[in-house]
Amino acid sequence: MSNCLRSGFSFQQAMESIAQEMQPPVSVEFARVIREMQFGVSMEDALGHMSGRVKSDELDLLISAVLTSAQVGANLVDILEVCTATVNDRIKIKDDIRVLSAQGRTSGAILSMLPVFIVLALMFINPDYLVSFFDTEIGKLMIVGGLLMECVGFLVIRKLVDIRY
């Protein structure tokens, strides 16, 4: 869009260019905005309708920049370049967070499965050792306590690595 505006197109022509040259779903949404504007809906309302349909923070940023530029009379190309840089930075930060939290997710999965593997190994090596846990009350309590602590630990680790962005 900023390249179209830089080359002298109007905002509506830039949207038409996006509707013709981009891949769906972007082209479909911009074509719908253009159609709404041709039927008499204001640009602000048409862009608001698109924002309601798409539900994207990045698109909301773009629409806010366009509407602010139209009201204030600022240079839309400069504002779009800043929006592009902001969106690219957001994407990079989301990717970094996803990569950095992968270690925590992997650790959580390993720590959750470790007791299961140990129990299976003990059953294979010495089955009589685990039978004593099921024969006594304190053994049953220890198994229940261990399972509860395992579940709590799994939930805590999952909560720690679940970063909302």
Side-chain angles (χ1 to χ4, degrees):
M1 183 176 287
S2 109
N3 288 338
C4 290
L5 293 171
R6 194 177 296 120
S7 66
F9 285 12
S10 69
F11 182 70
Q12 187 164 352
Q13 289 172 327
M15 287 196 305
E16 289 171 0
S17 175
I18 290 171
Q20 293 169 0
E21 296 177 16
M22 296 293 290
Q23 299 292 323
V26 174
S27 62
V28 173
E29 287 299 328
F30 276 93
R32 192 167 177 181
V33 168
I34 292 166
R35 205 172 321 116
E36 286 182 9
M37 289 171 58
Q38 289 171 346
F39 286 131
V41 176
S42 70
M43 179 179 68
E44 184 176 330
D45 290 339
L47 291 173
H49 294 157
M50 181 171 65
S51 174
R53 287 189 303 270
V54 175
K55 303 223 186 311
S56 165
D57 291 337
E58 288 80 11
L59 181 64
D60 291 341
L61 179 66
L62 171 74
I63 291 171
S64 295
V66 168
L67 296 177
T68 302
S69 172
Q71 291 173 352
V72 175
N75 186 356
L76 185 56
V77 174
D78 293 339
I79 292 174
L80 289 178
E81 288 175 357
V82 170
C83 285
T84 301
T86 302
V87 168
N88 287 336
D89 288 345
R90 281 184 178 181
I91 291 170
K92 185 180 180 310
I93 288 171
K94 285 179 184 179
D95 287 344
D96 289 346
I97 289 172
R98 186 180 49 78
V99 167
L100 293 173
S101 65
Q103 180 183 1
R105 288 191 304 273
T106 304
S107 296
I110 290 171
L111 289 174
S112 297
M113 296 307 296
L114 191 60
V116 174
F117 291 131
I118 290 174
V119 166
L120 291 175
L122 285 174
M123 286 177 68
F124 180 72
I125 295 170
N126 187 2
D128 296 332
Y129 180 73
L130 289 179
V131 172
S132 63
F133 278 101
F134 294 104
D135 289 341
T136 63
E137 287 298 316
I138 193 138
K140 291 176 186 175
L141 286 174
M142 289 174 67
I143 290 173
V144 170
L147 289 173
L148 284 175
M149 287 190 290
E150 184 68 26
C151 291
V152 169
F154 174 76
L155 293 174
V156 167
I157 290 173
R158 196 171 98 190
K159 183 72 174 169
L160 286 173
V161 297
D162 184 29
I163 300 170
R164 307 249 182 231
Y165 36 82

